[in-house]
Amino acid sequence: MKRKYKTDSIKELLIDVAEFRDARNWKQFHNPKDLAISISLEAAELLEVFQWTGADTEADTEKKLAKIKEELADVLIYALLLGDNLDLDISEIIADKLDKNNQKYPAEKAYGKADKYTAYIEKTDEEKQE
Ligand SMILES: [Mg+2]
């Protein structure tokens, strides 16, 4: 059976998501606040996969992976809807953010390190003496 929804393009994904939304007349309920809340709630559902699992940090069971897929899809769907609601170009805002992150985390300094970006900022001679 051919799947109804299957694409790799962000713009095509948004078309599918908007088609789903519009077939139910749900756009009327979507505003930036409620979409942002929905992203956060779905991200919290994603965290539930790991709640009370102690030192277990992996997605190492079929059950966990299935739940992760569902909740990650929910987060991404709401993210696409928020982008649509605010008329944002998702590819452009990701590219812009990657540019900023490249400035904050130069690969030659951050390679293999998990430090906060402030660890990579050059201090002035004055700041070094403080
Ligand atoms: Mg969910």
Side-chain angles (χ1 to χ4, degrees), residues 7-19 80 84 88-92:
T7 181
D8 292 327
S9 156
I10 287 177
K11 284 183 179 155
E12 289 175 5
L13 279 171
L14 178 56
I15 289 169
D16 288 345
V17 169
E19 182 183 292
L80 287 169
D84 184 56
L88 304 175
D89 182 326
I90 297 293
S91 298
E92 188 178 294

Side-chain angles (χ1 to χ4, degrees), residues 40-70:
S40 186
L41 292 175
E42 296 300 341
E45 289 180 9
L46 178 60
L47 283 176
E48 280 184 325
V49 173
F50 299 102
Q51 186 180 30
W52 312 123
T53 60
D56 182 7
T57 60
E58 302 300 321
D60 52 1
T61 67
E62 287 297 318
K63 187 178 172 189
K64 275 191 203 173
L65 192 55
K67 183 74 173 160
I68 288 169
K69 285 180 188 175
E70 282 202 20

